[in-house]
């Protein structure tokens, strides 16, 4: 399977990428290529120009900036999955990057590509939504920041305009002692999540001070399980309270039926995975 | 429009003009004639096309040849030195880590990257590390055995040479 013909330019900077994107009707950025090239091989995508940003190594970094960790858009999943700074301050995200695909995929796939692609079955976007991350975007009119909660708009659709380049992701550091978990349910190791659940919990004297819960593949975008979060506010950190809160997981979701599972199956699964995620997060 | 690329494959520099849509695996197989790298699925799943790019395993069916410009690539043909099999190749041979052999080049390249990243491989980390490589024949047991044996050999020869 060979992609349809296209023009190719390698951008030497973000600004040049923004400019090149403006010169063609359906130009597309190419980063690690592990979402775009499979689509192009199947001819489900036929861009006229690829603007290659794979070599913008200035954007491959993880750095501390006060209370946040900033990650360059071109950072590879394999590097993030083993990054000591990320493990120290944001272990949920480091763990989730290691859950993407397989080692070969992780050597190429970038965090920016994963976020920009906007696939509701992807794992890193759910982690970012759960962590209240902020995305940094450069476009023709300069730089702006977009909270993860308003970035994902629909299946394969995001807040990015046709000339926008995602340059970085900012994630608040987790307070020490914060519990976390990512439950990815799939049948074969390489597969995408049938359903995934991210959880972050802060506790205080046997009670939950704060809980954030995110869902993968339960709708057209990654979602926050807000019903679960409100049921957990101030709740006792005990098995019964967690199980009761987990029953709220399907509220506000709209899972699809596909060859992996029916919508009903996903609905049931989401409750079980939320419970497991909360239990694991509290055990950490 | 053709694009000029210049890259190193198994220690030899190659210059070529390629169509941007040419996938790296076809450049390796058809332009360079190195047919040890196989195409199994063409959908980024099976790992038969795995090569090393700057030392890291990559599925060459999911990268454009133009993206490999300037890079250092190793294919299965680059593993043996002066007629001596690479320790991973020898371990596959000795442990019967293959039957039809179709997945083998990809398995060996994936293993090379795993061992490079973590010489202290455990059975579990080998099994997890092969999640992107499918084998239709062996049931994986002997592949895992071979990779563990190779990792052990590479560790002990590193100990000898660092003395
Ligand atoms: C076999 C396989 C298994 C996989 N399994 C999983 C999995 O289990 N979980 C999971 O989450 N993902 C999985 N993936 C997807 C993988 O993580 C993707 O590679 C990643 O999501 C996209 O990153 P990329 O750098 O490859 O992006 P590309 O494919 O290069 O780009 C993807 C899209 O984003 C745009 N884009 C890229 N970078 C930017 C940027 N900086 N700014 C604006 N737009 C940009 C591109 O134009 C394109 O539309 C899998 C992929 C494969 C091939
Ligand atoms: S041919 Fe590349 S992964 Fe199967
Ligand atoms: S030996 Fe036949 S596919 Fe692995």
């Amino acid at each position: 399977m060979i992609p349809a013909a296209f023009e190719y330019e390698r951008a030497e900077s973000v600004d040049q990428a923004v400019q090149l994107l403006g010169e063609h009707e359906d130009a597309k950025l190419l980063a690690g290529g592990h979402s775009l090239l499979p689509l192009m091989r199947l001819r489900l995508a036929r861009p006229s120009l690829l603007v290659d940003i794979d070599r913008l190594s200035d954007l491959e970094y993880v750095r501390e900036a006060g209370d946040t960790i900033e990650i360059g858009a071109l950072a590879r999943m394999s590097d993030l999955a083993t990054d000591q700074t990320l493990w120290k301050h944001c272990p949920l995200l480091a763990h989730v990057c290691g859950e993407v695909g397989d080692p070969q995929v992780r050597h190429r796939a970038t965090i920016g590509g994963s976020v920009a692609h906007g696939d509701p079955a992807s794992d890193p976007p759910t982690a970012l939504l759960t962590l209240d991350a902020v995305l940094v975007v450069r476009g023709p009119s300069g730089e702006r920041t977009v909270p993860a909660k308003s970035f994902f708009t629909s299946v394969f659709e995001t807040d990015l305009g046709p000339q926008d380049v995602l340059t970085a992701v900012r994630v608040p550091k987790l307070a020490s002692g914060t519990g976390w978990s990512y439950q990815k349910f799939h049948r074969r190791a390489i597969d995408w999540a049938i359903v995934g659940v991210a959880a972050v919990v802060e506790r205080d004297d046997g009670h939950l001070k704060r809980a954030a819960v995110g869902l993968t593949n339960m709708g057209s975008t990654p979602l926050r399980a807000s019903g679960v979060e409100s049921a957990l506010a101030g709740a006792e950190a005990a098995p019964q309270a967690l199980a009761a809160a987990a029953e709220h997981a399907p509220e506000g979701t709209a899972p699809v039926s596909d060859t992996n599972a029916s919508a009903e199956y996903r609905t049931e699964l989401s409750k079980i995975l939320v419970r497991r995620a909360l239990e694991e997060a509290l055990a950490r | 429009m053709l694009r000029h690329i210049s890259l190193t494959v198994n220690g030899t520099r190659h210059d070529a003009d390629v169509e941007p849509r040419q996938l790296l695996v076809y450049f390796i197989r058809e332009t360079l004639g190195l047919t040890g790298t196989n195409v199994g699925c063409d959908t980024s799943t099976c790992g038969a096309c795995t090569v090393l790019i700057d030392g890291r395993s990559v599925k060459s069916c999911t990268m454009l040849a133009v993206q490999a410009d300037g890079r250092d690539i190793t294919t299965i043909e680059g593993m043996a030195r002066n007629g001596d099999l690479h320790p991973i190749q020898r371990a596959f041979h000795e442990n019967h880590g293959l039957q039809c052999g179709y997945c083998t080049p990809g398995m060996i390249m994936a293993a090379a990257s795993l061992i490079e990243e973590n010489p202290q491989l455990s059975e579990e980390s080998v099994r997890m590390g092969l999640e992107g490589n499918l084998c239709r024949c062996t049931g994986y047991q002997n592949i895992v055995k071979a990779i563990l044996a190779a990792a052990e050999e590479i560790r002990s020869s590193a100990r000898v040479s660092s003395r």
Side-chain angles (χ1 to χ4, degrees):
Chain A
M1 292 182 296
I2 314 283
F6 52 84
E7 296 289 308
Y8 172 89
E9 292 290 346
R10 193 191 295 162
E12 305 296 336
S13 67
V14 172
D15 289 336
Q16 195 195 355
V18 171
Q19 186 207 327
L20 285 166
L21 287 173
E23 290 171 8
H24 271 243
E25 258 306 279
D26 32 58
K28 269 211 156 289
L29 291 172
L30 175 69
H34 272 54
S35 289
L36 188 52
L37 294 177
L39 288 177
M40 288 174 61
R41 271 187 321 216
L42 295 169
R43 310 245 171 150
L44 295 173
R46 311 173 74 121
S48 60
L49 168 72
L50 283 189
V51 177
D52 190 356
I53 54 170
D54 191 26
R55 303 293 180 91
L56 295 184
S57 47
D58 291 1
L59 294 186
E60 278 192 50
Y61 63 84
V62 175
R63 64 168 87 106
E64 289 188 65
D67 294 339
T68 59
I69 300 291
E70 185 171 297
I71 302 168
L74 269 292
R76 311 286 156 169
M77 298 297 169
S78 53
D79 293 322
L80 296 175
T82 53
D83 188 90
Q84 291 310 310
T85 307
L86 202 57
W87 271 106
K88 180 157 178 230
H89 297 292
C90 214
L92 170 67
L93 187 56
H95 170 80
V96 166
C97 291
E99 291 286 294
V100 167
D102 57 54
Q104 291 96 314
V105 169
R106 292 193 290 274
H107 284 148
R108 295 287 300 147
T110 67
I111 185 99
S114 170
V115 173
H117 194 53
D119 183 343
S122 287
D123 307 296
T126 304
L128 294 173
L129 180 69
T130 308
L131 293 164
D132 295 315
V134 170
L135 306 164
V136 186
V137 179
R138 184 101 55 88
S141 50
E143 189 168 287
R144 64 197 163 93
T145 54
V146 188
K149 69 172 185 308
S150 41
F151 184 82
F152 302 101
T153 50
S154 186
V155 184
F156 302 130
E157 282 181 31
T158 68
D159 184 63
L160 292 172
Q163 264 185 278
D164 284 342
V165 180
L166 181 69
T167 57
V169 172
R170 291 186 190 140
V171 200
K173 289 182 181 170
L174 293 180
S176 67
T178 304
W180 59 275
S181 173
Y182 189 68
Q183 299 290 321
K184 178 174 181 173
F185 188 88
H186 50 183
R187 296 211 169 83
R188 298 173 309 176
I190 194 187
D191 281 344
W192 301 71
I194 294 175
V195 173
V197 173
V200 171
V201 293
E202 284 177 44
R203 66 218 113 173
D204 190 12
D205 263 353
H207 286 77
L208 288 166
K209 203 163 81 182
R210 186 179 80 91
V213 178
L215 305 171
T216 302
N217 220 357
M218 284 297 288
S220 61
T221 63
L223 297 170
R224 285 284 282 266
S226 41
V228 178
E229 292 177 2
S230 21
L232 284 173
E236 213 184 324
Q240 272 161 348
L242 303 184
E247 289 297 309
H248 295 276
E251 286 172 21
T253 65
V256 294
S257 293
D258 59 22
T259 50
N260 287 316
S262 65
E264 293 74 19
Y265 184 89
R266 286 195 161 89
T267 301
E268 281 308 301
L269 188 56
S270 68
K271 300 182 205 168
I272 292 162
L273 295 179
V274 166
R275 178 172 53 73
R276 288 185 192 161
L278 292 171
E279 286 169 358
E280 186 178 59
L282 280 165
R284 274 201 168 108
Chain B
M1 200 176 66
L2 296 183
R3 303 279 307 200
H4 187 78
I5 62 171
S6 167
L7 70 181
T8 304
V9 180
N10 302 330
T12 306
R13 194 178 135 153
H14 296 272
D15 281 84
D17 292 315
V18 299
E19 244 196 299
R21 64 173 167 165
Q22 186 173 39
L23 297 166
L24 178 60
V25 69
Y26 295 113
F27 176 78
I28 291 171
R29 289 178 56 83
E30 292 168 8
T31 309
L32 302 183
L34 296 170
T35 52
T37 303
N38 288 333
V39 178
C41 64
D42 223 355
T43 56
S44 316
T45 313
C46 74
C49 64
T50 303
V51 301
L52 301 184
I53 300 189
D54 297 333
R56 293 175 143 197
S57 58
V58 167
K59 292 176 172 175
S60 61
C61 73
T62 317
M63 186 163 171
L64 300 173
V66 281
Q67 290 186 291
D69 183 26
R71 308 266 199 193
D72 191 358
I73 295 172
T74 310
T75 68
I76 189 69
E77 290 88 347
M79 294 300 273
R81 286 288 147 81
N82 310 319
D84 288 334
L85 291 182
H86 185 280
I88 305 176
Q89 290 173 304
R90 207 163 48 236
F92 269 69
H93 177 74
E94 286 167 0
N95 291 280
H96 203 69
L98 60 147
Q99 288 178 21
C100 80
Y102 201 84
C103 69
T104 314
M107 287 285 177
I108 289 177
M109 303 319 285
S113 186
L114 283 180
I115 294 173
E116 171 69 29
E117 281 171 22
N118 174 17
Q120 312 292 334
L121 285 173
S122 63
E123 178 178 339
E124 199 198 341
S125 56
V126 172
R127 289 186 183 276
M128 287 313 293
L130 293 181
E131 59 190 325
N133 292 78
L134 301 182
C135 176
R136 300 293 304 267
C137 308
T138 64
Y140 301 97
Q141 302 294 4
N142 289 344
I143 293 178
V144 174
K145 228 200 267 173
I147 295 174
L148 288 168
E152 174 55 33
E153 191 190 327
I154 290 168
R155 267 201 310 270
S156 56
S157 59
R159 275 199 295 274
V160 172
S161 60
S162 68
R163 258 188 219 146

